[in-house]
Amino acid sequence: MRLLSAMSTFVLSVAASSCDERKLVQHAATVLADHMDMELGGIGAGKNNVVGFQFLKPAEALVAAQALAHEDFHQAANQVQRILEYQTSEGLLPHLVYGPSVPSYLQWFSSNHTFHPGPAFWQQSSWKQEKLKNQKNQKIISNFKFDTSTISAPPVAGDVAWEIFRLAPYDSVLGGKTSAVQFLCHVYEPLKKIQKHLFTTRRRSNGLLTLRHPWETFSSLSPHWKAFLANLKKASDYKTFVRSIPEEARNRFAIGASTMFSAQDAMENMYEPMIYLAAQIHRSGQSSEIYSRKSTVLESITYAATRSKAARFGVEDVEFNSLVLRSSLGLINIGRVLVEHSSVCKELTLTRNELLNDVKELRTMASGLEEALIGTNTTQGLWNTSVDFFADSSRMSLTTTHSLRGFLPAYAVELDDDKKMRLMKHFLSEPGSFSFFCAQFPAVFLACSRGDSTKAAGSIDVRSADTTWILYNYFVQRGFVRNKFPGLAEYIRNKTRDMICKATTPTRPHLSWFPISLTMEESAPAALAAAYDSRNGTPVAVFDDNYLDSTLAAATLLNILLPAVMLPPSPDTPPIDHRILSVIMCVELVVAFGVAISCFLFSVYFVANRPRHTRLFPGSRASGAAERGPRDKLDRHGDDLGDRGLLSPSGSSWAERYSESSCSDDYSPRSGHARNELEEALISGADEHYGSFSEAEQSHTPSNSAWKAAKNALADISPW
């Protein structure tokens, strides 16, 4: 009994420890479906009572659309087109879109569920005048249908559109993606406008693009921002402004940043400077000198107004430039597809030569950005030769620490062999270097130091570095694939899956029907979070502005686990039209059923017409002649044997004795008739018409009228 109990416990523990990847995918897809916002046209950040208000983050909604494309390409394509409608006339895609349930006059939300400011925080006088002008002219364009922020979303639109195209199903065995090409035709112009806006307003003399706010990346909680944001505190109006920030918003941000900073550090050194920076961006306006190409940095309001020396903010960020570069390369691929297949797009007004010129211009911009970011034989770019890793920005920050942000150039492009191998040592735990594979569930966002020379400078008050940000696991996985490290990519994929399985809390229902008292663990819904503890897989319930069952986490998980491209169908196994196959099967079943019924009726008919009376006739003359024939032959055979001396002394041959012993009885005592008479009865003239359908030729046997009517009916419907 003890052995049985031990074996049962072992089996149940093994079953509980297994990770059901299919259930993870189903749960993530369910989370996305539950958070679909029909009014905003995309996957929302969460339920209003959870996240504080109705809003859409276009960058995260685009990532969610990419996840939807694995199962429903058309739904994903429609969402991307709808999200791009929030683009401004200059080409900026805002990082925040407010839903229709949010009043436009709100400056802040009286809620401890969000730290984002209200729509009125971003409004400008020029913006209001343009909106009223369009309303009076009854030309309300989609840009002003909902309130938005004035900060740019992380630049992932071009990359997401290309990835969705790769996930589109093929039209036939011979290939072709007509509907997918039409999708590219719809989004090409908005995507090109985004890229040109960024390169026109953000490009510096060294070829890199300037980031204007940490919210333009996915790593606004990275510790390296502290040194850059600290410069904003020197503005004369800084203290006055930050006093207007509600306490609820401060506390909510501190909770979301608790895995990285203490509460006071998060509020004073991260949140307050970021809100001040956001305020001066929208107050200065798009036409201000701080947005001109001649300006090298984003300056404070005080400096813009008084021209006096004040704080400045301008970061040539490695993540921002990497995302722009990858989107630029995706847009180049889109342009190449349209050059070859633009004939299927009736709404595309560009000619083939114009598309070729666009592709050439985009390639020039992308090549310049790649050289400035990665470096060349003569330039270094953001590559740090002392640590063999990419720096956070072109300017060294006092709070810089090595993070997965420095890997993102490998996510954007394929590096040369030398940089590949130098970069990979940080993922192979080489002695003397920092590593990102130093916990049970990699990759940790902040690197683990292996020596004093690699410790982060100025990382004071930074809390546990053992945190895995699931979105950056996606960046790392795709970076490994692009740089031809499929083994490491598969390792990151499986570790991410195992981490989420570990975070899932099992339930223990009691097996009352089993003779032994046992409990069996059943997996509960997966705990999807934007960040996890790398040591034990514990989900971070509140991270940044995300909660459990975050749509960003669900979309990222699907993009990690599911294939990145739709494989073309094999010509050896052509697709089957299941509708035609169903029709063929139905026809075959009907024919088979008809044959079976016919056989049944045929059998019934012949059974009904079988002879029911046996009439015996006396032997005919022909039968007598037939009987004498064998006997004469036997006598002649005996004479021959006598001539040969083969007769026995008794005068009979051995053949005659054999014939007499085996065939002498022509009379059957049981039947009372001779054998010849029985054979003659079986082939009598009365039965010679058995099986005929002619009623005139059949013998009239006594039967009732009902039975005769049934036989006549069977004869009428029988095909024979």
Side-chain angles (χ1 to χ4, degrees), residues 3-322:
L3 179 60
L4 178 60
S5 177
M7 292 178 62
S8 302
T9 305
F10 173 76
V11 171
L12 292 178
S13 63
V14 171
S17 62
S18 62
C19 184
D20 194 338
E21 186 173 310
R22 180 180 55 85
K23 290 184 178 180
L24 292 182
V25 172
Q26 290 178 350
H27 179 66
T30 302
V31 170
L32 295 182
D34 292 342
H35 291 82
M36 175 63 193
D37 194 321
M38 302 303 297
E39 293 178 307
L40 294 175
I43 303 297
K47 301 296 183 182
N48 297 350
N49 58 342
V50 176
V51 298
F53 64 101
Q54 182 187 13
F55 70 98
L56 185 77
K57 299 184 77 172
E60 296 183 5
L62 288 171
V63 175
Q66 178 183 342
L68 292 177
H70 291 92
E71 292 295 332
D72 192 340
F73 164 77
H74 296 286
Q75 182 183 6
N78 292 334
Q79 289 192 21
V80 172
Q81 296 178 45
R82 179 68 184 278
I83 292 169
L84 292 178
E85 292 179 0
Y86 299 118
Q87 186 182 39
T88 64
S89 57
E90 294 84 6
L92 181 142
L93 185 65
H95 98 289
L96 202 63
V97 178
Y98 295 89
S101 62
V102 181
S104 299
Y105 59 83
L106 283 182
Q107 187 84 13
W108 289 95
F109 296 97
S110 57
S111 171
N112 57 358
H113 294 288
T114 181
F115 56 78
H116 291 294
F121 179 88
W122 309 99
Q123 292 177 0
Q124 307 172 37
S125 58
S126 59
W127 184 88
K128 291 180 180 179
Q129 292 175 1
E130 187 174 358
K131 182 176 180 179
L132 292 174
K133 181 180 178 181
N134 283 283
Q135 289 177 343
K136 290 179 180 179
N137 296 333
Q138 296 182 353
K139 296 180 180 179
I140 304 176
I141 57 178
S142 59
N143 299 343
F144 302 107
K145 185 176 181 180
F146 300 115
D147 296 318
T148 66
S149 67
T150 55
I151 295 177
S152 175
V156 297
D159 175 43
V160 168
W162 175 246
E163 293 296 331
I164 290 177
F165 173 79
R166 297 176 66 201
L167 290 170
Y170 285 85
D171 297 334
S172 65
V173 180
L174 301 179
K177 297 183 176 182
T178 303
S179 58
V181 173
Q182 293 174 348
F183 159 70
L184 295 183
C185 294
H186 283 97
V187 301
Y188 176 72
E189 288 291 348
L191 294 177
K192 185 178 68 173
K193 185 182 292 186
I194 292 176
Q195 296 303 114
K196 288 191 174 182
H197 167 73
L198 293 175
F199 278 92
T200 301
T201 61
R202 306 291 187 94
R203 196 166 190 175
R204 298 281 299 277
S205 58
N206 59 2
L208 293 174
L209 305 184
T210 302
L211 173 136
R212 293 177 174 173
H213 199 283
W215 285 342
E216 294 180 344
T217 69
F218 293 103
S219 57
S220 59
L221 295 183
S222 176
H224 84 284
W225 294 116
K226 290 171 59 177
F228 295 114
L229 294 171
N231 294 330
L232 299 174
K233 297 181 180 181
K234 300 177 183 179
S236 59
D237 60 339
Y238 178 81
K239 293 183 178 180
T240 303
F241 175 82
V242 297
R243 292 195 191 100
S244 63
I245 301 176
E247 197 65 25
E248 294 90 344
R250 297 170 183 266
N251 294 332
R252 172 59 184 82
F253 183 86
I255 294 173
S258 60
T259 57
M260 307 297 295
F261 311 99
S262 65
Q264 183 177 1
D265 188 29
M267 288 187 291
E268 294 181 358
N269 298 323
M270 294 291 291
Y271 184 62
E272 291 177 356
M274 283 196 289
I275 293 297
Y276 177 80
L277 181 61
Q280 76 173 21
I281 288 177
H282 82 78
R283 289 178 182 176
S284 299
Q286 297 288 345
S287 60
S288 175
E289 184 181 350
I290 61 174
Y291 281 96
S292 66
R293 298 182 63 183
K294 297 180 181 180
S295 178
T296 58
V297 292
L298 184 60
E299 300 160 333
S300 69
I301 307 170
T302 306
Y303 179 76
T306 63
R307 301 297 180 186
S308 60
K309 185 177 180 180
R312 300 181 179 184
F313 184 89
V315 181
E316 296 163 353
D317 186 68
V318 63
E319 178 180 343
F320 183 78
N321 282 273
S322 298

Side-chain angles (χ1 to χ4, degrees), residues 64 68 105 118 134 145 169 218 376 396 434 464 531 573 576 587 611 673:
L68 292 177
Y105 59 83
N134 283 283
K145 185 176 181 180
F218 293 103
T376 61
M396 182 60 67
F434 58 89
S464 173
T573 56
I576 299 175
V587 171
H673 300 283

